[in-house]
Amino acid sequence: MQHAPLTQADRDLVRIAAAEADIPALGALTLPAEIVPVAVEDDRCVFPREGGTLPPEEAYRDIAGFVALSPAGRETIGRARTAWAGMFGTEAPELLDLGGGPSGAEAQRGAVLDWLVTQLARTRTHLARRNVTLTRALSRLRETHEQTQTAFQKLDKLFLDTARGTRLPAGTLPADSRNGIGVLQDGDMVEQRLPCSSEGLSDVAVHLWFGGPAEGTLHAALELVESGETVADWRLRAADLRSGWTRLSLPVALGPDPQTVRLKLVWQGRGDITLTGSVRPADPQFRGQLNSVPQASAMAMKTWKYIPLASTVMPADGHPSSGAPESRKWVIGRGFLEAATPIATDPGNVEFVRDVGGLAVRPASTAISAARLSRACRVGTRRITGSAETKQAAGPNVEYAIAVAPAAAEGDETLPPFAEGWISDWTPLAPSQWSELVLFLPAPLEAASDLYLLTRIARRGKTDTPPEACFFRLVSTT
Amino acid sequence: MTETAPPTAPAETAAAPRVAVVVPIFRHSVLVGEAVESVLAQTAGFGIRIVLVNDGCPHRETDDICRDYALAHPDRVTYLRKPNGGLSDARNFGIRHVLDRLPSVEAIYMLDADNRLRPPALERAMAVLDADPDAAWIYPNIDMFGNGQQVDFSGPYSLLVHTALNVCEAGSLIRREVFEAGILFDTGFRLGFEDWDFFLSAAQAGFRGRNLPEFGFLYRKRPESMLAESEREASEIRSSLRKKHRSLFTPRRRLELEQEETPRYAILLSDRSEVLLTVDPDSAPRRMSLEEYTALYRLARNNPSRAHVPPYLVVTTSGMLEVVRRAQCLHWLFWHLEQLSETRGLAAVTVRHDPEGRYRAVQRPVEAGAQAAAGLLMLEGRILDEILEDESMDWINTIISETCAPPVALVELALPAHVDLSGLSDTAAFDFLIALRRMRAETDPTAAQPREWRKPGIPWREKAHKIVRDSFDGAPVYPRLADGARHVGFVLPLVEFGGVEKVALNMAAGLKAHGWVPHLFVVGQDDGAISREWTEVFASVNFLSDADFSAWGGDGRGSYVGTTIPDWAAKGRHNRALGLMYWLDAVVNAHGGAFAGVMGQLRGLGITTVNSLHLNDLSASGRPVGNTYLGLAYEHAFTVVAPCSYQLADWCHALGVPEDKIVPVPNAPSFAVPRARLERDQEVRLARGPETPLRVMYLGRLDRQKGIHRLEETMRQTQAEGLEVEWRIIGKAVVPEEGGAVPSATLARALEPPLETVGGLTDAFAWADAILLPSSYEGLPLTILEAMRSGVVPIATDVGAVSEVVRPGRNGVLLPLETAVPAAMAALRELSGDRGRLAELSRQAYADLRDRDWTAATEALNARLTTTRMAAKSQTS
């Protein structure tokens, strides 16, 4: 096996120090290492070479040992090794004293080579042991990491499967139509710092207003300022957008390393589309910037957070980021429940109950009371599930159902006729009894549709006070 | 397996790095790998050299890992090994290596071995250094990982705040020039906060830092660490910092910084719609519109760690400020109102002429809407916050009504007639409401405001004025900047018509002639007979306004050689007085009684303290007591003792004051008279023939100290004898006595009211041939000096230092105290009968006092004060 010849760089990695007095003799041995002269000046080792000196840090790094041939050389090396300890705070490398040893160039060369091999063997053994230690540590770390990942994944899946994970509102800069960022022109870029850290960030919503038809694409990107990373982006077709809040959702919440977040929006297209503004921030850092020009107000914005690095079911009104795995489950969350429209009932009978995290649709009689969740069912929805319970200890039985109908016009508060297959069975529940409701649609929805939550007092039941009939954990599946 | 390593820098950038990262390592043998990797992963387009400094770590693993990196990246990593010397020593070792061996490096970054950097960090920081030539170092916010939080240190760099809080992490990018100026880490700071010391040293050398909020520095936080250790030793470390950087912690320096960085007052001039941000109301301020001020206010309330707004808002007009300036109490008023507005929330000032011609600064009850006529209003920030957060203005609107709901401290400034009040304003309350409406239009307290997500790191920014107050235990600090002039304060318990006051006034005038700027401090009252004469000498008028102050008064438990140490001297609120006077170069205590208790502390601030002494008082039993003895008790507190006569100087020396410390300031006539007038009057006097009665005058207070009973007896005897003597008795009782001396009918018939004008006094002396002063005790009475200057022959008891100027038989007559009346009669007979003798004494008296004035009298004191001041300045520079 032919080995590549040693280069000068290779030789430079192995150096032997010797006193000036011994250099000629050592040089004659044609050793496979650089012989470095060493002297002592003012209690410090110096390593003179042609054109200057070898820097002490290189000497420390590369000198494998000292060799002495003559008594004068031995004396110098002795002082050098003492100086070395003082300079570097550690014992000097080994000394090979050939003074009383073999004579003759060949014997001496052999002795040095033996010694070098021993040094290198020791170093090799040490490195091997170190590598083994590091490999062992890595293995342990990997095992721990795998266990942590596996456990987290199971937790993640549990929350996903049961749709229990709720993206929690983290802050709102309310929409104020008096303060706008302006009508977006083709190529306009708007950016703004989010008023929260990145830790666990799962959704950001901006408020759009369409004054008329628009055609084009709205690009959005989330950037972590400190690390300079872009962690998510969206491409939203104008056709998929409406006036109001546009929610940009991440399939996995951002990690636990908190950084400053900036949202960038670029509009490519034409039409009458405006970004709604919010408050005029006291701190200029939070002003929206239109094409790098600071505006007087911030963009209206909502943010949500979840468990860092955990996956959760996408919200029904959320736009998944580019590259997000296709989601089949969609949570019809608090935003929808809070915005529910009372239908065929007193407005006071439909109320989001914060304490229970559900929507109360209180029936006053055997007639249907309903709440409409506008466009809560996305295109492609095939199934809707939800939980129901009358949150009180005593009272009449209440019947629950869920139904889907085409999106109603704004202001329409009538209960539509539900086609066969578009309304679930009525499920009677006694007080404090819980049940799941399921509606399998005959066909996937072709357009975003309204979800209706229906209640009525069971036949022959009556009440003076509408019972606290509540719906929870509504999930649609596409 | 393929080896994946970070890409090496191009050869040319590696060979000439712009940035070096020094990583000192001791015992972080594993974690250092993360630190190094984070630097190798930097995305900067310029070369970065990592300098690993093994500070004698006993773990072989440290050596292994450092060698490995140095071998694997020889063009990017340098490994230095040294004996253990501590963190500062290790950093310096690395820094010196960079300075010696890497000339291309423009900035050095300090990275501790257990911390990390995000990939764009050094590129970003270097970009800021490139763009801002005034920034010497770029420091980060601190994002902790492990067990911590994220802390915001953004906002303009403030050296003042930096003296109170360690705002700059060692993990900063520092320009090479800082190190080349000799600034290194102090190896003496082994307990921690060596970075704080380093940056304070850099700041003292004139360098300034700048924060980069998105730096990308990650700090490993563990419950037990070097920082945790430092926190335990914080008190000792802070003390070391103060000693080492003494000049940064002086009140004057801190005030300068406050002016530059965090001005204390926002002065809204409603007539100019302008807001001035300043500490010293006489100094060039930063100016802005009310809208800009409102925006600044909103920003500072939104993020007080990041932005500063002055903690006090003053509402007034430019004319009103000018009136107060003319009244020579501008700085004092701001100082005083600061304390009042803190306790009450709002402080208001009205100004008028005082019908009695006095100078008063008195707090009045708020009645019948008096506050509505204020010309100046000061309010503390928290009150402004409350008002702006209040949903309605109903509460604050009452400030212009008779039933004022907000608590207001009302100060009435009543001034003598000579103070020009043109430009006076009385609309501050109205102007304030107008300004509030405009501010409220910009400020919606209900609107949800976005806020910085990091925890605020600089709580001191919104209360920077309290850093300055730290020197005086929280007492307000007089807002006056140094202007290069020499300022001397005169402390008087009161300003009425006494001799002590006259001496102080004239001593001040004398020092003023020598180039000093005198300032008046009245410590015992809030008013005084401060006439034009006073305001022409003193550049400012100030009141201690401490209701607890009493010049004398104590329970007698403390005394020195028979003189009770006043309570206030021993345990009064000295910090307030210190905050009032720290800025002076010299302070003269003119019989201030208990104020002697402060003088030592003033001296400790580098102020030359002078004890101006006049006379020993006598107790009821005739025992000498008073300011002279109190001065002995506090002798150590005074740099100079300045007695009014050489005799009193001898007394001080005899009682233990070192000779070198005594600088007599011999009294001189207290008012100037043109020489031509004096010559004319003397001519007229000497020309009076023997047929005219001997004109004898008494001028002064009518009380027992002045020997009224002897005067009365002498008058009676001259009348009984039928001596040709014409009397004039001029004066009144100034010091009331219990059951006090009522002038006899003899005196009452001759009594004339006191003379208050120079003209009147000059005329009186011109009339007289002789003046009789039969006092029981005196210092060196000014009346005798003024009389002799005019050529009037003094006939006076030999008390105090009278004999220093009255040489019997040469220029006047000395009366033994015990036989004063018979001796006075003998003198009057002689002078009445022998006008030649009278003329001889008169001529000599005139000649002896001819050149005696206060400029000459204060010459030696001026020299001493000047020398002492120069020595003090060279010590602090």
Side-chain angles (χ1 to χ4, degrees), chain B residues 229 249 256 269 330 517 554 594 614 690 746 759 797:
Chain B
E229 214 177 309
F249 287 84
E256 282 171 10
L269 298 179
L330 181 61
V517 179
H614 299 275
T746 310
T797 41

Side-chain angles (χ1 to χ4, degrees), chain B residues 643-692:
Chain B
C644 71
S645 68
Y646 293 100
Q647 202 178 84
L648 190 54
D650 289 339
W651 180 90
C652 291
H653 189 208
L655 269 288
V657 180
E659 188 180 17
D660 273 352
K661 208 165 172 174
I662 304 171
V663 179
V665 181
N667 281 352
S670 67
F671 57 93
V673 179
R675 188 160 298 284
R677 170 69 198 266
L678 290 172
E679 284 173 1
R680 193 169 63 247
D681 289 347
Q682 181 68 334
E683 266 181 46
V684 168
R685 178 180 296 109
L686 294 175
R688 280 201 286 269
E691 67 284 0
T692 58

Side-chain angles (χ1 to χ4, degrees), chain B residues 337-352:
Chain B
L337 293 180
E338 203 178 302
Q339 180 118 33
L340 290 177
S341 63
E342 270 191 358
T343 41
R344 299 288 288 171
L346 281 150
V349 179
T350 59
V351 179
R352 64 183 175 95

